Amino acid sequence: ADLYDFIEKGANHPISLSLAEINFAIKNEYVDLLWKKIYSRKSFDKDGAITACKTLVETALKHLLDEKKIDHSNKDDIRDLFKKVSKNYGLEPGKQKSAEFTQLCSGYISIINSISAIRNKYGDAHGKSKQIIFDLKQNYIDIVINMTGSIVTFLLSLVEKKEEN
């Protein structure tokens, strides 16, 4: 039914086919688990889905660093991780050959920082007081999930596919 709704009705599902294909190539079960967690929680556990979005981005960044054996630690926040990835994978805005790709690489930074900030405010990783009400509408949850899927799909596409033995 979900596939039918997506194809025939244009339902608002986050991208998942390309992420699934890339994850199949890199063979990271945790990425698959997180994506399924995000997608399954998007309507009934919105704050959990938002938290899992940031976790998925961090996981993708750490995976990229691990692939090139670049040191990172649990003390590195998402900005530190992305800075290391952008330096080692040619994503630094100032190193691009055109203004359009400079702007695009700056956009990656903005998206990742936004996902992190949204998780801090609306996710379930921090305690809540009665003054903080989870009030994001579903379309805002969906855009966070879609942007997470897009950025993670792109990031993981940077990993060279592993050959079958």
Side-chain angles (χ1 to χ4, degrees):
D2 286 343
L3 185 58
Y4 173 80
D5 288 344
F6 179 69
I7 294 170
E8 296 295 328
K9 298 180 183 175
N12 295 326
H13 292 295
I15 61 165
S16 60
L17 294 176
S18 59
L19 180 58
E21 291 168 354
I22 287 171
N23 194 44
F24 179 76
I26 66 167
K27 296 172 179 53
N28 187 319
E29 291 177 18
Y30 190 55
V31 168
D32 189 51
L33 174 73
L34 284 169
W35 186 245
K36 287 175 181 172
K37 183 186 287 188
I38 290 166
Y39 190 75
S40 69
R41 293 180 176 186
K42 74 179 206 142
S43 297
F44 77 91
D45 181 15
K46 296 173 184 175
D47 50 347
I50 293 292
T51 296
C53 284
K54 181 181 178 192
T55 302
L56 179 56
V57 174
E58 287 176 334
T59 299
L61 293 170
K62 289 178 178 182
H63 182 81
L64 288 170
L65 296 173
D66 291 345
E67 284 294 307
K68 290 200 174 193
K69 297 178 178 30
I70 298 164
D71 288 335
H72 60 87
S73 74
N74 288 336
K75 292 181 182 180
D76 289 330
D77 67 14
I78 202 165
R79 288 180 181 104
D80 297 328
L81 295 170
F82 185 72
K83 186 180 248 183
K84 290 177 183 184
V85 165
S86 65
K87 179 180 178 184
N88 289 281
Y89 284 86
L91 301 177
E92 293 173 297
K95 304 251 173 135
Q96 302 309 305
K97 294 181 180 181
S98 72
E100 295 81 12
F101 281 95
T102 297
Q103 187 174 8
L104 188 62
C105 288
S106 294
Y108 303 147
I109 296 165
S110 180
I111 291 166
I112 289 171
N113 288 340
S114 295
I115 291 168
S116 179
I118 290 166
R119 176 275 200 173
N120 289 342
K121 185 169 184 177
Y122 296 100
D124 63 1
H126 299 293
K128 304 274 190 246
S129 74
K130 64 182 180 179
Q131 297 160 332
I132 298 174
I133 300 169
F134 193 84
D135 60 355
L136 286 182
K137 293 181 181 178
Q138 189 64 49
N139 59 334
Y140 285 95
I141 301 298
D142 291 343
I143 191 66
V144 172
I145 292 170
N146 286 329
M147 294 308 293
T148 297
S150 294
I151 197 75
V152 169
T153 298
F154 170 73
L155 290 170
L156 293 178
S157 74
L158 300 172
V159 175
E160 292 183 23
K161 292 182 182 176
K162 296 179 180 174
E163 298 295 322
E164 291 292 325
N165 292 333

mmCIF file of all heavy atoms in Angstrom, residues 1-11 13 39:
data_model
loop_
_atom_site.group_PDB
_atom_site.id
_atom_site.type_symbol
_atom_site.label_atom_id
_atom_site.label_comp_id
_atom_site.label_asym_id
_atom_site.label_seq_id
_atom_site.Cartn_x
_atom_site.Cartn_y
_atom_site.Cartn_z
ATOM 1 N N ALA A 1 0.821 -1.196 0.000
ATOM 2 C CA ALA A 1 0.000 0.000 0.000
ATOM 3 C C ALA A 1 0.862 1.257 0.000
ATOM 4 O O ALA A 1 0.532 2.215 -0.668
ATOM 5 C CB ALA A 1 -0.923 -0.008 1.198
ATOM 6 N N ASP A 2 1.973 1.241 0.774
ATOM 7 C CA ASP A 2 2.827 2.418 0.821
ATOM 8 C C ASP A 2 3.417 2.744 -0.546
ATOM 9 O O ASP A 2 3.438 3.893 -0.966
ATOM 10 C CB ASP A 2 3.968 2.231 1.825
ATOM 11 C CG ASP A 2 3.501 2.317 3.255
ATOM 12 O OD1 ASP A 2 2.394 2.837 3.491
ATOM 13 O OD2 ASP A 2 4.241 1.861 4.143
ATOM 14 N N LEU A 3 3.903 1.719 -1.259
ATOM 15 C CA LEU A 3 4.478 1.936 -2.573
ATOM 16 C C LEU A 3 3.418 2.457 -3.544
ATOM 17 O O LEU A 3 3.666 3.382 -4.314
ATOM 18 C CB LEU A 3 5.127 0.654 -3.101
ATOM 19 C CG LEU A 3 5.876 0.778 -4.424
ATOM 20 C CD1 LEU A 3 6.979 1.831 -4.309
ATOM 21 C CD2 LEU A 3 6.456 -0.562 -4.823
ATOM 22 N N TYR A 4 2.214 1.891 -3.490
ATOM 23 C CA TYR A 4 1.123 2.353 -4.340
ATOM 24 C C TYR A 4 0.825 3.824 -4.060
ATOM 25 O O TYR A 4 0.710 4.631 -4.977
ATOM 26 C CB TYR A 4 -0.132 1.500 -4.121
ATOM 27 C CG TYR A 4 -1.334 2.045 -4.851
ATOM 28 C CD1 TYR A 4 -1.526 1.809 -6.209
ATOM 29 C CD2 TYR A 4 -2.272 2.833 -4.193
ATOM 30 C CE1 TYR A 4 -2.615 2.334 -6.872
ATOM 31 C CE2 TYR A 4 -3.356 3.360 -4.857
ATOM 32 C CZ TYR A 4 -3.524 3.109 -6.196
ATOM 33 O OH TYR A 4 -4.604 3.638 -6.857
ATOM 34 N N ASP A 5 0.695 4.176 -2.762
ATOM 35 C CA ASP A 5 0.416 5.567 -2.400
ATOM 36 C C ASP A 5 1.509 6.489 -2.913
ATOM 37 O O ASP A 5 1.240 7.580 -3.413
ATOM 38 C CB ASP A 5 0.292 5.722 -0.887
ATOM 39 C CG ASP A 5 -0.983 5.110 -0.340
ATOM 40 O OD1 ASP A 5 -1.904 4.832 -1.147
ATOM 41 O OD2 ASP A 5 -1.057 4.897 0.884
ATOM 42 N N PHE A 6 2.750 6.058 -2.778
ATOM 43 C CA PHE A 6 3.876 6.876 -3.193
ATOM 44 C C PHE A 6 3.858 7.119 -4.701
ATOM 45 O O PHE A 6 3.991 8.240 -5.166
ATOM 46 C CB PHE A 6 5.181 6.203 -2.784
ATOM 47 C CG PHE A 6 6.410 6.961 -3.192
ATOM 48 C CD1 PHE A 6 6.721 8.171 -2.596
ATOM 49 C CD2 PHE A 6 7.254 6.463 -4.172
ATOM 50 C CE1 PHE A 6 7.855 8.870 -2.966
ATOM 51 C CE2 PHE A 6 8.382 7.158 -4.552
ATOM 52 C CZ PHE A 6 8.685 8.360 -3.951
ATOM 53 N N ILE A 7 3.646 6.062 -5.479
ATOM 54 C CA ILE A 7 3.686 6.172 -6.936
ATOM 55 C C ILE A 7 2.414 6.787 -7.501
ATOM 56 O O ILE A 7 2.448 7.728 -8.289
ATOM 57 C CB ILE A 7 3.950 4.793 -7.575
ATOM 58 C CG1 ILE A 7 5.360 4.323 -7.204
ATOM 59 C CG2 ILE A 7 3.783 4.850 -9.089
ATOM 60 C CD1 ILE A 7 5.640 2.884 -7.569
ATOM 61 N N GLU A 8 1.271 6.255 -7.092
ATOM 62 C CA GLU A 8 0.013 6.657 -7.698
ATOM 63 C C GLU A 8 -0.573 7.945 -7.122
ATOM 64 O O GLU A 8 -1.178 8.720 -7.838
ATOM 65 C CB GLU A 8 -1.019 5.531 -7.570
ATOM 66 C CG GLU A 8 -0.634 4.280 -8.317
ATOM 67 C CD GLU A 8 -0.592 4.484 -9.839
ATOM 68 O OE1 GLU A 8 -1.377 5.298 -10.358
ATOM 69 O OE2 GLU A 8 0.232 3.842 -10.479
ATOM 70 N N LYS A 9 -0.419 8.148 -5.849
ATOM 71 C CA LYS A 9 -1.057 9.290 -5.204
ATOM 72 C C LYS A 9 -0.086 10.423 -4.890
ATOM 73 O O LYS A 9 -0.494 11.464 -4.408
ATOM 74 C CB LYS A 9 -1.740 8.849 -3.906
ATOM 75 C CG LYS A 9 -2.854 7.836 -4.120
ATOM 76 C CD LYS A 9 -3.459 7.455 -2.796
ATOM 77 C CE LYS A 9 -4.531 6.402 -2.951
ATOM 78 N NZ LYS A 9 -5.034 5.957 -1.655
ATOM 79 N N GLY A 10 1.211 10.183 -5.081
ATOM 80 C CA GLY A 10 2.182 11.214 -4.763
ATOM 81 C C GLY A 10 2.269 11.483 -3.276
ATOM 82 O O GLY A 10 2.431 12.612 -2.845
ATOM 83 N N ALA A 11 2.153 10.430 -2.477
ATOM 84 C CA ALA A 11 2.196 10.585 -1.024
ATOM 85 C C ALA A 11 3.524 11.195 -0.603
ATOM 86 O O ALA A 11 4.532 11.097 -1.300
ATOM 87 C CB ALA A 11 1.987 9.233 -0.343
ATOM 88 N N HIS A 13 6.300 10.693 1.115
ATOM 89 C CA HIS A 13 7.242 9.784 1.754
ATOM 90 C C HIS A 13 8.646 10.314 1.533
ATOM 91 O O HIS A 13 8.958 10.824 0.462
ATOM 92 C CB HIS A 13 7.158 8.376 1.155
ATOM 93 C CG HIS A 13 5.874 7.691 1.462
ATOM 94 N ND1 HIS A 13 5.500 7.337 2.726
ATOM 95 C CD2 HIS A 13 4.865 7.299 0.652
ATOM 96 C CE1 HIS A 13 4.323 6.744 2.683
ATOM 97 N NE2 HIS A 13 3.913 6.722 1.440
ATOM 98 N N TYR A 39 11.599 6.511 9.552
ATOM 99 C CA TYR A 39 10.409 6.384 8.722
ATOM 100 C C TYR A 39 9.228 5.835 9.514
ATOM 101 O O TYR A 39 8.107 6.310 9.393
ATOM 102 C CB TYR A 39 10.706 5.509 7.501
ATOM 103 C CG TYR A 39 9.605 5.547 6.505
ATOM 104 C CD1 TYR A 39 9.417 6.651 5.690
ATOM 105 C CD2 TYR A 39 8.704 4.503 6.395
ATOM 106 C CE1 TYR A 39 8.378 6.695 4.776
ATOM 107 C CE2 TYR A 39 7.660 4.541 5.491
ATOM 108 C CZ TYR A 39 7.505 5.639 4.692
ATOM 109 O OH TYR A 39 6.468 5.695 3.806
#
